[in-house]
Amino acid sequence: MAAEIVNPRSDNGTATDGAASVGADEPFDAAFALHRGGKMAVQATVPVRDKDDLSLAYTPGVAKVCSAIAENPELVHDYTWKSQVVAVVTDGTAVLGLGDIGPEASLPVMEGKAILFKQFGGVDAVPIALATKDTDEIIDTVVRLAPSFGGVNLEDISAPRCFEIERRLQERLDIPVFHDDQHGTAIVTLAALRNAAKLTGRELRELRAVISGAGAAGVAIAKFLLAAGLGDVAVADRKGIVSADRDDLTDVKRELASVTNKAGLTGSLESALAGADVFIGVSGGTVAEAAVASMAPDAFVFAMANPNPEVHPDVAHKYAAVVATGRSDYPNQINNVLAFPGIFAGALAVRASRITEGMKIAAANALADVVGDELSAGYVIPSPFDERVAPAVTAAVAAAARAEGVARR
């Protein structure tokens, strides 16, 4: 199977100007033109030119392979696409910044994710949008689909359901299950933070961070940074700092409060930024300039909301030593595509049964190391188009899987 960008086309394969997608009187729109007919296709990897090819690719030759797999199920990895393909699964409840738009409307994003897997990691991926929001139904459906895939990438599923879905799927399956909105964001953030700290001559353990957003990304980033050795982190939701003294916390936030905020901060995000070394934004909204100005000298501002960062880069640069965003038109883009293609490529290469914390740390370290001697305030994280990224992450993840005992080859 090959995921590829296809030309805008009408039903008979001819190019269109996109107007048919939005009405004949509408002006040309490049986005509609690009997406018309979808962005990917299935492509055979073997020829079917004559009856001999047909007899090998299908009946009767295929029966030999089926019988061999029935006798030795492990052969499925060698004689099918299973170990080379990922299911990109969503219920359409947390799509980009659009929210709960449903499974059909999520498909353009899932197709996009699939072509990024192929383009940046050489991994085939299949979009699967589910017409249910029920946690048990999602889990049961993915478990039933799992024999066809080497891994599962959960995408754009709303919190807090996403945490339980990922955990229970990993318990039931023996293939990698990875919620990219959580772990992909956390891995790239750690890589950028490691290099920012190195640039300013500090260690992670010396830094105190404040995260805006206690959803999937915010929770995962907080836990991951602490596991990597960050000194302290406080997480803020719409009601302020997530702290043990609040009586309105979900189970996920209560558990988060138990492992974060060593300083015992309460109140607003803005008050927590006073003297903080790092701001990480994964929530949207706007942080007042005065709060940014109150941060410690040589602070880092990673304002990753799209399209509008929580702190505009022009404002952040007045006070911060390193500024990163989620946008491609500014330096230091925190982009998940730097992580997930290589992570799955590495996991699939060794037929890993899961993606461990050690594999995630290895991915972050490899990503940070790509920058090397080119490190500067405007370059703490490589570009997604840097051809060194995917091979480095792939190799590091595969090696970590073997070291942690989850590799099966």
Side-chain angles (χ1 to χ4, degrees), residues 173-374:
L173 298 176
D174 66 348
I175 58 175
V177 178
F178 186 83
H179 185 208
D180 186 53
D181 300 321
Q182 291 184 61
H183 310 300
T185 308
I187 288 164
V188 182
T189 300
L190 174 59
L193 188 58
R194 280 198 184 283
N195 276 339
K198 180 180 179 181
L199 181 68
T200 56
R202 288 177 285 179
E203 301 288 337
L204 289 181
R205 56 183 169 79
E206 301 173 44
L207 304 177
R208 177 172 72 84
V210 177
I211 297 176
S212 175
V219 171
I221 291 170
K223 291 182 176 180
F224 193 57
L225 294 183
L226 289 174
L230 186 72
D232 192 15
V233 59
V235 183
D237 62 11
R238 291 183 179 87
K239 297 182 179 180
I241 298 299
V242 175
S243 57
D245 64 333
R246 283 177 47 180
D247 59 6
D248 60 345
L249 300 180
T250 63
D251 290 343
V252 170
K253 291 182 183 179
R254 191 174 299 110
E255 194 271 335
L256 181 66
S258 72
V259 297
T260 61
N261 194 19
K262 298 175 187 176
L265 301 174
T266 59
S268 68
L269 177 144
E270 285 79 6
S271 65
L273 281 175
D277 302 291
V278 186
F279 169 75
I280 297 171
V282 285
S283 67
T286 302
V287 176
E289 181 172 345
V292 180
S294 74
M295 295 178 69
D298 289 330
F300 313 140
V301 173
F302 293 0
M304 299 186 283
N306 260 319
N308 300 311
E310 295 88 348
V311 182
H312 193 280
D314 292 344
V315 173
H317 278 296
K318 294 181 184 179
Y319 311 102
V322 176
V323 177
T325 72
R327 292 176 49 151
S328 60
D329 53 347
Y330 290 101
N332 296 327
Q333 183 189 19
I334 307 293
N335 190 327
N336 288 12
V337 77
L338 289 163
F340 69 83
I343 288 169
F344 270 100
L348 293 177
V350 297
R351 295 180 190 167
S353 59
R354 62 189 301 111
I355 295 173
T356 66
E357 290 303 303
M359 293 161 71
K360 297 172 194 172
I361 292 286
N365 291 342
L367 186 54
D369 288 345
V370 168
V371 172
D373 294 337
E374 302 170 70

